[in-house]
Amino acid sequence: MIDPTLTLPLAQSPQSARALVKIPIDRMAEVGLTAGDCITLQAGRTTHARVMPAPRGGTGLEISSELARNAGGEFGTNAQVRRAALLPLNSVLVRITGAEVTNPEDLAEALHDLPLTQGDRLSIIAPMGRQVTLEVVSLDPAPAGLFTLDTVLSLAATPPPAVGYDGVGGMEAEIARIHEMVAVPLLRPELFERLGVAAPRGVLFTGPPGSGKTLLARAIAARTSAAFYQINGPEIVSKHYGESEAALRAIFEAAAKDAPAIVFIDEIDAIAPARAGLSGEKQVERRVVAQLLTLMDGLAERGRIVVMAATNLPDSLDPALRRPGRFDREIGFAPPDARQRVAILRVHLRNAPLADDVALDRIAAETSGYVGADLAAVAREASLAALDRTVTAAGSEAEVDPENLFITQADLMQGLAVTSPSALRGTYVETPEVGFDDIGGMDAIKAALTEAVLWPLQHREACTALGLEPAAGVLMSGPPGSGKTLLARALATQSGMNFIPVRPATVLSQFLGDAERAIADIFAKARHAAPCLIFFDELDTLAPRRGKADAAQDRLVAQLLTELDGMVRNSDVVVLAATNRAAAIDPALTRPGRFDVVIPIPLPDRTTRRAILDVHCKSLPLSDDIDLDRMARDSEGASGADIAALVASAARHALRHAVDTQASETRIGKADFDAANRLMASAEKARLTDFVAGETYDEKA
């Protein structure tokens, strides 16, 4: 039996009710329609709606302009109407346009009991009065159905702006590999048919955040003109049973209909963690992993769909995803080198007016460890600095002439000063402001540090030709106050390396495994931010001789040994450590291959003490009766810290005398240094007395 049809011209509805068609009541009876029935409405295309009666004698179908567009017609054109039997929808995939992403539960309330057709565009009112425009991307069952309380609603990502290969700087090698892996199978599948092999099915991007994984996925989609479906890992997970799996199926079904297509899963570790490590309560994650495995390599043919995924935690993924046939190839995104950083900066500044003094190679040389997102931040901060400079010079924003707005080298340096490598933002990082010139004497020690740390970075080719490997670690050993920490800070400044100071209190923990994990994280971040200098102060606290401490301390020493000389190569990562108890350190740390270079730092001799005095006194107002040579001779046994404290104490005594006498000029004289010597001698005597008293008390106890 053939359903009777009704053909009438489309007319504007006075009330413009959405998804409703008003038909004259006498014409409804001709085709057996009653109020509330679902109908098929067809002009240029097919859509579905509900029917309501209009007064007798009408000559048209009263609908909204939105419904007319979905039917493919215009007001005045004829459209056909017939009864439709629509099934409840299991899942719906929609794409939001013209509004920010909304909670799917809010949209589900607005869509309840509506007949939906694949390809429809709807305008609905979300909570808080927001108008949201939706595109129905995919339905199950297709091509139309009724949205019910049990229907699973999923959101597809808004199509990203097209980004070509020229918008990705410094990644020529990665682009070539991905083009071969993804673009060729989508553009020329017959080539693989000729070879008699299956085209690659998936590629996994790994690398630190901000290294360009998502950007390159968009560029591939633009290059191939493929439909692009992006899945954000955290957004796909739902608390309701089966919704997460249904959302995944809907996206893959929509991609299959739009083939060739790319499905890009960002932060895939959020939806596909290793099942072996999941607790019994995390059944949702187990089912999502199983569904993803089935979609990528199940019984159904996937067609011309390439799955790309990105993560910065590849080791946390389920191993079943990382075999050939699913993610056939893994491409690592390492932090860019100096040449690549120049290319990235040029991409971000290609539309910016640059002054003649701009030297991007100098900026690139000082941004070791920066990824693409960090360099974009440098360019953005430089533009803000240029705008602030121009506004200040003009007096106000209204007075700024756009022709006078440009970015200088000073603006770029200011942008560099307020940014840092994102890989190190979770670590306490500082930029030392002291150099070797600020340290008096110690010429032999400075030369040894330069040879062990700086030369392998500055003379790579010569070291390679001579077969010299950079030192894995440098240990400075000397009494307290001899300048070990100061030398580490100066070395970081001289080398231009990223600097991570590690203090025992930031590593040690009462919880099992936390300290070892902290050490592993520090080395991982240093490798991402290479070249990097890790400085362990008071190493004897972290790595005492094993067998004499507790088991937790032994495990920490073992972790440190593994990081220094393990399977993972620490390229351009130098470990510097300081201790005043070298004999207390585990001997395994001081063998070649770990701390290759051990530099003893003794108390300063007379010449060094004079140089230290010169450094600390060079900017002070000294009286003519000061004899620095005699002071250096008389300070036998004093450390660099003792000399610095002596000068500071003399300056305080001079300030006290000037305040008491209300002197117009303040100078540091011999009497001030003599008073400082007496004060320090009495403090040392009191300290020794307390120390002896403590020993006596312990013996009595």
Side-chain angles (χ1 to χ4, degrees), residues 398-483:
E399 301 297 327
V400 173
D401 183 359
E403 296 298 326
N404 296 330
L405 194 59
F406 51 87
I407 296 176
T408 66
Q409 184 75 5
D411 297 327
L412 286 169
M413 294 302 295
Q414 185 172 342
L416 180 61
V418 298
T419 57
S420 61
S422 56
L424 296 181
R425 288 182 183 173
T427 306
Y428 174 70
V429 181
E430 60 184 65
T431 304
E433 298 295 339
V434 60
F436 279 161
D437 294 338
D438 300 315
I439 301 177
M442 300 187 181
D443 294 336
I445 297 171
K446 295 176 187 176
L449 289 172
T450 300
E451 180 179 337
V453 178
L454 300 185
W455 283 4
L457 294 175
Q458 298 171 351
H459 309 287
R460 293 178 185 270
E461 296 181 359
C463 291
T464 302
L466 294 172
L468 294 176
E469 292 288 338
V474 178
L475 176 63
M476 296 183 294
S477 174
S482 55

Side-chain angles (χ1 to χ4, degrees), residues 572-601:
D572 289 338
V573 175
V574 178
V575 181
L576 189 65
T579 181
N580 55 4
R581 296 193 305 156
I585 296 176
D586 192 272
L589 281 170
T590 55
R591 74 156 176 82
R594 283 159 184 166
F595 283 104
D596 306 85
V597 180
V598 179
I599 301 177
I601 303 180

Side-chain angles (χ1 to χ4, degrees), residues 13 17 48 55 77 100 109 178 206 211 270 281 322 438 494 518 534-535 551 553 606 656 692:
S13 172
H48 294 80
T77 60
E100 61 183 10
E109 294 179 5
I178 297 173
T206 63
S211 55
E281 295 80 11
R322 303 179 70 180
D438 300 315
Q494 295 293 130
I534 305 175
F535 176 56
Q553 202 79 45
R606 179 177 176 179
R656 190 181 307 114
V692 172

Side-chain angles (χ1 to χ4, degrees), residues 470-475 519-520 523 527 534 536 539 543 556-571 573-577 585-586 588-596:
V474 178
L475 176 63
I519 292 292
F523 275 85
R527 284 189 286 268
I534 305 175
F536 288 93
L539 182 64
L556 182 58
V557 175
Q559 180 67 41
L560 191 57
L561 293 173
T562 303
E563 294 293 343
L564 282 169
D565 187 25
M567 299 298 294
V568 180
R569 182 177 178 83
N570 295 320
S571 299
V573 175
V574 178
V575 181
L576 189 65
I585 296 176
D586 192 272
L589 281 170
T590 55
R591 74 156 176 82
R594 283 159 184 166
F595 283 104
D596 306 85

Side-chain angles (χ1 to χ4, degrees), residues 629-655:
D629 289 328
R630 185 183 65 82
M631 292 174 59
R633 184 182 66 248
D634 294 342
S635 56
E636 183 70 31
S639 66
D642 294 333
I643 296 174
L646 175 66
V647 175
S649 180
R652 284 193 295 271
H653 188 272
L655 175 62

